[in-house]
Structure formats: structure tokens, C-alpha cells
Amino acid sequence: MTDTLKHLQKATCIATTNIAFVKYWGRINDALRLPMNGSISMNLDSAFTTTTVEFDESLTADLFSLANQPADAKQSARVFSHVDRIRAMAGIQTRARVASENNFPTGAGIASSASAFAALSVATAKAAGLSLPERELTLLARQGSGSACRSVPAGFVEWHYGETNEASFAEQIAPPEHWDIRDLIAITQTTHKEVGSADGNKLVSTSPFNETRVKLAGASLNIIRRAILEKNWTTFGEETEREAIRLHVIAMTSQPPIYYWSPVTLAIIQAVTEWRRDGLEAYFTIDAGANVHVLAKAEDADEVENRLWQQEGVKIVLHNKPGMGAQVVESHLF
Ligand code: PMV
């Protein structure tokens, strides 16, 4: 098909998901996935995607399997168009076999698209023989799924607001070992949510409160970045909770409204607030789903985890530390 594919043809990458403390919700450009506001997150060490990409001259079409099963048409189309972006950069046309696996339930409100598109971007670029700096990889990952750009660098990461492709990149604020905080994810549903974040993102402008949220998110960025750097737990936690609630206010006041919470979600919010009154200083944040991420200091994490397991409706609790960046774990020369 082509002889421009140089040496590397197969690569495997592991990328973690991330939890945003200042969230991405709404875009100024849908095609490039440029967000309305910058965001800040932490990679989660125990929730990750492993993706292998192999370019193969004998293939006549791309193939994509998820958890060892052929993926559905919609998922496959999104993956193949992302591989197309990277093929165009590498100047190749060779078709690819893509195999991906999550170690957590897909589509349950843990950002599986973040780890998926970070792993896919890094594995595909490597297999295509491209040697891209981290910043370029974040631009690529962002175009696959916005939040994926924050899973490329390690640890605590900021994704910058920018009005062009190049300006909207992600970079590390602090490495994983900077601050030993924990994210205990209380999983309350393991099935696909009804409105995915890709669709929810398109509705923000129908909420009368969106402009205010975007403005406040800008202020939250400065507060949370600083709180992370100074390890100021109370400021960090309080601001993170406020920011999360604002995302859900936008979702609930969009046309049509999106209600991501279940009764269990609200029960956990109330429990965490009560624990705090009793001296256990944990905070919550919630993405586009019913699961609750409970943030705790390292010394309180086991206690928080035990309490979450006792909460009615909680199916699984995932215990996360600050995680690594996207890493190529295997690659082959042919
Ligand atoms: O990248 P997406 O389309 O999965 O959007 C993720 C949006 C939130 O998880 C709700 C917030 C965020 O910044 O991660």
C-alpha cells in the first residue's frame, strides 16, 4: 500500500483516566474540541486503558476490539477517524488493528474516553513511527476526546483555554508524588449513562447560567492550581465541590435537562457533608454520571473507603492515588 511507514508498526500504551477539579463542560469549537474554559485534573492510578495499535499492510479495513469483542459501529467510527488524523500526520495509509481494554466499567461515568483516547493517541503515534513531544500528543488526544489531553502528562495537569488548536494544550502542574491525596470512586451504576458527555457538552449554551459558570471556572482555576501547589487541602476541597455542583447546575438547566444524579448520588453528597461536620475532612466531585468521587487525605482514605462500602447502593469503591502519564509499554520493529 505504501512504503512510507518506517520502522515501528506495533505499540501498546497504558493511560489512566483522570478526575477534573475544574471541569470541562462546553466548547467554543466542536470539531477541534476547544473548551470554553481551562480545566485541572489528577490522573487516577488504578483506572486505566491499555491499547495496542498494529499497522498491517495486509488489512483492507481498520479493526477495533474493545475487551476482546468487536466494538460497535459508532465507537469504531470515532476510533478510526482518530487513527486517520495520525495517519495523515505520518503520511501513511496502512490500515490498523486496534485492541483496547479498560480495567473498570466502560461508560459508567468514570471518564473512559479520557484514558481511551490518551492511550489510542500515544500508541498510534508510536506505531506510525512518529516521535512527538508530550505537548503535541496532548493536542492530538484532545481532538479524540477533550478530557483525554489531561491523561497524557503525569500527575496533576492543567488543560489550557485557547482559541486555536496549538493554544489548547495540557501540561503538568505537579508530578504524582507531589501530593498524596486519594480519590475513592463510589460506583453506583455500571451500565452506560443515557446522555454521554459528548452530547451534554453541546447543550451548555441552552442553560441561562452557562456564562456565569464559565466566568467562575476561570477563578476556580487559579484557586485550585494554587491550592494544589501549596497543598492547601481545605481550599482545594471546598473549591472543587463548588465547581462540580456548577457543572450539574448547567446540565440540569440545559434544554433538554440532563439529570446525572441518582438518589444514591445525593445520599453520598449528604453523607460526605456530614462526615466533615464530624471531623473527617473529605470532599466530593461528580462527573457526567451518577458515581461520586470522594477526595480524601492519604491518612483518611481507608476510613472513607470503609464508609463508602457501607453506603446503600454503592456497588464498588475504587481507591486511586495520583497516577502516571500515558506510557508506551511495548513496541515492535519489523
Ligand atoms: O472528554 P469528555 O467528552 O469525556 O468530557 C468529560 C467531561 C467531564 O468528565 C464531565 C468533565 C471533565 O473535565 O473531565
Side-chain angles (χ1 to χ4, degrees):
M1 223 176 211
T2 169
D3 58 4
T4 50
L5 188 60
K6 295 198 181 71
H7 300 302
L8 281 163
Q9 291 192 330
K10 181 174 176 181
T12 300
C13 174
I14 295 183
T16 72
T17 61
N18 64 74
I19 180 65
F21 307 131
V22 181
K23 299 193 189 276
Y24 147 59
W25 200 242
R27 299 188 278 251
I28 56 167
N29 180 320
D30 281 336
L32 286 172
R33 287 190 155 81
L34 300 177
M36 286 179 173
N37 61 274
S39 53
I40 291 180
S41 63
M42 175 181 101
N43 286 349
L44 301 180
D45 76 329
S46 62
F48 53 85
T49 301
T50 307
T51 298
T52 299
V53 176
E54 181 175 15
F55 286 103
D56 184 341
E57 301 285 349
S58 71
L59 291 175
T60 53
D62 289 324
L63 298 171
F64 175 44
S65 71
L66 188 56
N68 291 316
Q69 302 291 324
D72 69 36
K74 195 175 165 201
Q75 285 171 327
S76 300
R78 193 165 162 195
V79 165
F80 300 155
S81 72
H82 197 57
V83 174
D84 279 342
R85 263 183 206 116
I86 299 165
R87 267 194 285 253
M89 288 172 78
I92 59 171
Q93 274 150 17
T94 315
R95 300 293 105 185
R97 195 176 287 112
V98 180
S100 203
E101 228 174 294
N102 294 327
N103 76 331
F104 56 88
T106 300
I110 305 181
S112 58
S113 65
S115 53
F117 281 92
L120 180 66
S121 304
V122 173
T124 309
K126 183 81 177 173
L130 292 171
S131 168
L132 301 176
E134 182 181 274
R135 184 162 161 163
E136 288 278 321
L137 289 167
T138 73
L139 302 180
L140 252 185
R142 189 203 72 232
Q143 293 173 71
S145 181
S147 57
C149 69
R150 297 188 312 239
S151 283
V152 175
F156 299 85
V157 176
E158 180 163 354
W159 170 15
H160 296 281
Y161 171 83
E163 291 171 10
T164 61
N165 178 45
E166 286 70 30
S168 189
F169 62 95
E171 66 180 341
Q172 183 180 84
I173 302 176
E177 57 282 5
H178 165 71
W179 201 17
D180 188 8
I181 62 171
R182 306 296 169 89
D183 176 10
L184 293 311
I185 313 176
I187 299 196
T188 63
Q189 61 172 32
T190 49
T191 51
H192 265 276
K193 58 192 177 237
E194 277 170 27
V195 185
S197 49
D199 296 326
N201 259 306
K202 290 192 183 135
L203 295 177
V204 296
S205 303
T206 64
S207 164
F209 307 113
N210 189 53
E211 244 175 72
T212 304
R213 185 209 157 251
V214 170
K215 218 183 278 162
L216 293 172
S220 295
L221 273 179
N222 293 329
I223 295 168
I224 289 179
R225 187 190 312 107
R226 190 168 183 176
I228 290 171
L229 292 173
E230 293 175 353
K231 304 182 196 174
N232 183 338
W233 180 246
T234 303
T235 301
F236 166 77
E238 288 180 354
E239 192 65 17
T240 295
E241 277 195 0
R242 285 185 201 117
E243 224 295 299
I245 295 298
R246 293 197 296 253
L247 180 152
H248 289 274
V249 165
I250 300 308
M252 290 184 210
T253 54
S254 291
Q255 297 290 334
I258 316 168
Y259 304 105
Y260 285 114
W261 298 358
S262 72
V264 182
T265 312
L266 189 56
I268 299 172
I269 290 176
Q270 287 171 332
V272 171
T273 309
E274 216 161 277
W275 299 344
R276 234 172 15 237
R277 273 190 224 115
D278 298 343
L280 180 62
E281 198 184 354
Y283 295 93
F284 64 82
T285 183
I286 305 161
D287 276 344
N291 301 328
V292 185
H293 294 248
V294 182
L295 305 166
K297 295 186 209 164
E299 63 264 32
D300 295 332
D302 289 342
E303 176 65 20
V304 168
E305 184 177 344
N306 289 340
R307 292 191 192 193
L308 285 172
W309 276 111
Q310 285 161 31
Q311 214 45 45
E312 202 176 320
V314 171
K315 298 196 167 120
I316 310 167
V317 183
L318 292 179
H319 189 143
N320 288 278
K321 298 179 185 176
M324 64 177 192
Q327 290 189 3
V328 174
V329 290
E330 209 181 331
S331 56
H332 292 283
L333 283 160
F334 291 101

